[in-house]
Amino acid sequence: MNGGSVPQPGSLALSRKEDFKAFAESPRRSRPDLLTRKQLKSLPTQARADYDRQRRQWHANIGPVKTPQLTELHEDLWDIVDSNEQDGDKAKGAVAVDAFPGLGKTTSVLAFARDFHQREIEESGAFTSQGHERIPVCRVGLTGNTGMKDLNRAMLEFFGHPGQMRGTTAQFGRRVLDCVLSCDVRLVVLDDLHFLKWGQKSGIEVSNHLKWIANEFPVTLLMVGVELAKKGLFGEGTNGRDTALAQTGRRTTRLGLRPFTIDTEAGRREWRQMLPALEQRVVLTDKHPGMLADELSDYLFARSTGHIGSLMTLINRSCQRAVRTGAECLDQELMDRVKNDEASEAARLELQAALEKKRLTSRPRPRTRRPA
């Protein structure tokens, strides 16, 4: 960071403390005004370009939507993090958010980390009693070659520690601990934990290191990944390898994120309740009530297969096309020309056929009033 400049939202790298702080403390993005067609046409050329740029950026950052899944995950996270207020002589429970791609794991966890950062700063101030900068959250992304030394170095990089390039694994670990204690870190987020090769030496090293963090650091360890149980994070066993992983599993609470489903009435109601909330965020001149929830409910479910990440991608890209082409509205004709992620496209045809033949529906039954 040079001259105390604040990084722009589009240029943040959350693996650095300055950027994470900017992410957590920046004001929420303001939604552009919804103009009428007449107002839109009356804008001077430069004003129209500015307005379309604002909408482009708004739609690209339209989430997260407070879905039931996100609310459930955050409630569980608050339970665990707040229960970890034990004194330093007690090991704290860890959390693993383990779910398939496209369900919003990272987005949901970052939203929680942002709220946690804000709460800690509001309650305890921006500086510690020793005058150090308070950094409630340390967030690190892992790669497929991450070993114990690499993990320590990544954490040192987050803090901008000058000793991040040279030293032994143990020295790196002590420097990380010093940063955590000095900055009063309370939550360590390890994203993309599935990149580790748990069956190899590096996986066992990191598993032991996670256990060390739980024992020695006054933090809640929050791990995020795909199929962590299958990869062995919670594995039980009697040999040396399995025992090391089993100890991590005994101290770790596994949380998940479920997709939207439409095979039950409760699932259909959840889907129906989410769409109007999403529709409220769309800034298109010809948007109208029911555009998503009434006219596109089945279509959007087929295109996203109930995965919130795929749905948000589709809405974002469709809004970009609607602004760029002047359509200013979302409908099936426009959205059919917009490509989505490969997983959703591959699963779309069978689901769409079932919806078209009325074997499935995303629409809940109308509620009937009880007689007085």
Side-chain angles (χ1 to χ4, degrees), residues 62-76 102-105 107-109 111 256-261 266-267 269-279 281 304 306-312:
I62 201 169
V65 176
K66 194 173 183 180
T67 63
Q69 293 89 330
L70 182 143
T71 300
E72 292 167 6
L73 177 65
H74 282 194
E75 286 297 319
D76 289 334
L103 296 178
K105 296 182 302 300
T107 299
S108 299
V109 166
L257 276 169
R258 53 186 172 82
F260 284 95
T261 59
R269 291 198 181 281
E270 283 188 346
W271 177 254
R272 178 62 177 78
Q273 291 166 6
M274 180 271 299
L275 291 178
L278 181 55
E279 185 180 289
R281 303 191 181 201
S304 66
H307 287 61
I308 188 66
S310 299
L311 175 66
M312 300 302 285

Side-chain angles (χ1 to χ4, degrees), residues 58-88:
W58 169 259
H59 290 135
N61 298 277
I62 201 169
V65 176
K66 194 173 183 180
T67 63
Q69 293 89 330
L70 182 143
T71 300
E72 292 167 6
L73 177 65
H74 282 194
E75 286 297 319
D76 289 334
L77 288 173
W78 282 120
D79 287 344
I80 295 167
V81 171
D82 287 347
S83 69
N84 275 346
E85 292 286 345
Q86 304 102 324
D87 293 336

Side-chain angles (χ1 to χ4, degrees), residues 12-33:
L12 296 180
L14 299 184
S15 56
R16 302 186 304 181
K17 65 180 178 67
E18 296 90 352
D19 287 17
F20 190 90
K21 182 177 180 181
F23 160 76
E25 297 183 0
S26 296
R28 299 300 174 98
R29 193 180 296 269
S30 297
R31 183 175 59 183
D33 293 334

Side-chain angles (χ1 to χ4, degrees), residues 22 38 64 101 106 112 215 220 236 265 285:
K38 182 177 180 180
T106 295
F112 175 81
N215 287 337
T220 298
E236 299 285 355
E265 187 66 13
T285 297

Side-chain angles (χ1 to χ4, degrees), residues 7 12 28 46 50-51 53 60 64 70 91 94 99 111 122 138 154 165 189 219 223 226 252 282 317 321 340 342 366:
L12 296 180
R28 299 300 174 98
Q46 187 57 52
D50 291 342
Y51 180 64
R53 175 181 51 79
L70 182 143
E122 289 172 0
C138 171
M165 300 307 298
V189 179
V219 302
M223 300 168 282
V226 177
T252 304
V282 171
R317 293 177 182 177
R321 184 176 288 242
N340 207 5
E342 178 60 24

Side-chain angles (χ1 to χ4, degrees), residues 174-247:
R174 287 194 294 270
R175 292 168 192 163
V176 171
L177 179 57
D178 180 62
C179 288
V180 167
L181 295 175
S182 298
C183 298
D184 203 16
V185 177
R186 288 291 176 261
L187 180 66
V188 172
V189 179
L190 300 182
D191 204 356
D192 291 327
L193 199 69
H194 52 274
F195 285 148
L196 292 175
K197 298 179 181 178
W198 290 97
Q200 299 183 2
K201 182 180 178 181
S202 62
I204 303 302
E205 286 181 345
V206 175
S207 179
N208 286 330
H209 193 59
L210 300 180
K211 186 170 57 178
W212 177 70
I213 291 176
N215 287 337
E216 301 298 329
F217 290 34
V219 302
T220 298
L221 187 60
L222 174 50
M223 300 168 282
V224 185
V226 177
E227 294 188 327
L228 299 181
K230 187 175 180 180
K231 292 180 182 298
L233 177 61
F234 315 104
E236 299 285 355
T238 56
N239 61 45
R241 170 187 173 275
D242 290 338
T243 299
L245 297 177
Q247 291 179 359

